[in-house]
Amino acid sequence: MGMTTFVLASASPARRRLLQTVGIEPIVCPSDFDESQVQLNDPAQLVQTLAQRKAQTVAPQFNSVLIMGCDSVLALNGEIHGKPKDTAEARQRWQLMRNHFGDLYTGHTLIDLSQNRTLVRCQVTRVYFAPMSDRAIDAYIATGEPLKCAGAFALEGYGSLFVEKIEGCHSNVIGLSLPLLRQMLAELGYDVTDFWNN
């Protein structure tokens, strides 16, 4: 297949950096989709639906491109958590998370406009959090980082200090599973290396 333009329907700098790390330079086109429109209790269904809506929102602006939409949530004891709305919520969340584990769900949608095909997938990674003092939690929240992330932590930032281990895909926790992306591209007939000179 010839060169195809890769569009990232996300404002997430972490997702963009992940793509750049593997040689894909995306056109960034945030969807600004209102996530409150989607209310689902199943985390896998929720992230897949949101990822699809984000990609679909951006699609009418383009022709013959590949559009990727993503969404992540953290499930703790069966409860779904997105980005904390304020420092109080972030503190509460970390008091639950410390010395426990959560499952990080990321929904991935690829819309191939040239083939009129859409793939929707979900990747789950289990994250084990370190025991943390209240002082450490407050210091971490003061960095501002937890307020920007679905799980109230960034694995590629200060948050990595408070993650003991992960089971599953590492990049999924940052916001986009690179192995899953490779598989989805292959399913659409692309080789991930096709995008290296794009």
Side-chain angles (χ1 to χ4, degrees):
M1 284 201 179
M3 283 301 203
T4 299
T5 303
F6 195 104
V7 175
L8 178 63
S10 169
S12 161
R15 288 191 182 111
R16 184 184 182 184
R17 277 194 303 270
L18 277 172
L19 290 169
Q20 289 171 326
T21 303
V22 295
I24 299 172
E25 187 56 68
I27 292 173
V28 176
C29 185
S31 69
D32 299 322
F33 176 74
D34 176 11
E35 297 184 16
S36 66
Q37 291 180 42
V38 179
Q39 301 289 328
L40 293 165
N41 293 326
D42 178 82
Q45 271 185 318
L46 176 65
V47 293
Q48 288 180 98
T49 303
L50 286 170
Q52 193 167 358
R53 294 282 178 85
K54 288 176 180 180
Q56 286 168 339
T57 303
V58 164
Q61 300 173 46
F62 296 95
N63 296 308
S64 301
V65 300
L66 207 54
I67 300 170
M68 172 150 238
C70 294
D71 192 78
S72 301
V73 297
L74 184 74
L76 289 167
N77 308 320
E79 223 178 289
I80 297 172
H81 299 277
K83 283 180 193 169
K85 64 178 183 289
D86 53 31
T87 55
E89 192 178 317
R91 184 175 296 110
Q92 228 174 0
R93 182 95 54 86
W94 265 102
Q95 286 166 347
L96 282 175
M97 282 161 43
R98 62 180 168 193
N99 221 13
H100 287 285
F101 66 82
D103 292 317
L104 199 295
Y105 290 77
T106 299
H108 302 66
T109 293
L110 271 182
I111 298 178
D112 187 340
L113 292 178
S114 61
Q115 299 185 69
N116 197 21
R117 288 180 67 194
T118 299
L119 297 183
V120 184
R121 302 284 182 271
C122 180
Q123 181 75 277
V124 188
T125 306
R126 183 155 285 186
V127 184
Y128 291 83
F129 299 102
M132 276 174 87
S133 64
D134 289 344
R135 180 177 171 273
I137 289 173
D138 288 341
Y140 181 41
I141 290 164
T143 68
E145 188 179 272
L147 298 173
K148 300 174 195 152
C149 309
F153 74 101
L155 191 61
E156 73 283 13
Y158 294 104
S160 58
L161 288 165
F162 310 114
V163 172
E164 293 282 75
K165 66 172 181 173
I166 63 170
E167 284 173 3
C169 177
H170 170 272
S171 62
N172 190 55
V173 183
I174 300 171
L176 193 164
S177 170
L178 294 171
L180 183 58
L181 171 61
R182 189 192 68 245
Q183 293 160 22
M184 291 171 78
L185 287 172
E187 209 174 315
L188 290 169
Y190 298 96
D191 190 294
V192 72
T193 60
D194 295 342
F195 296 90
W196 284 359
N197 303 314
N198 215 1

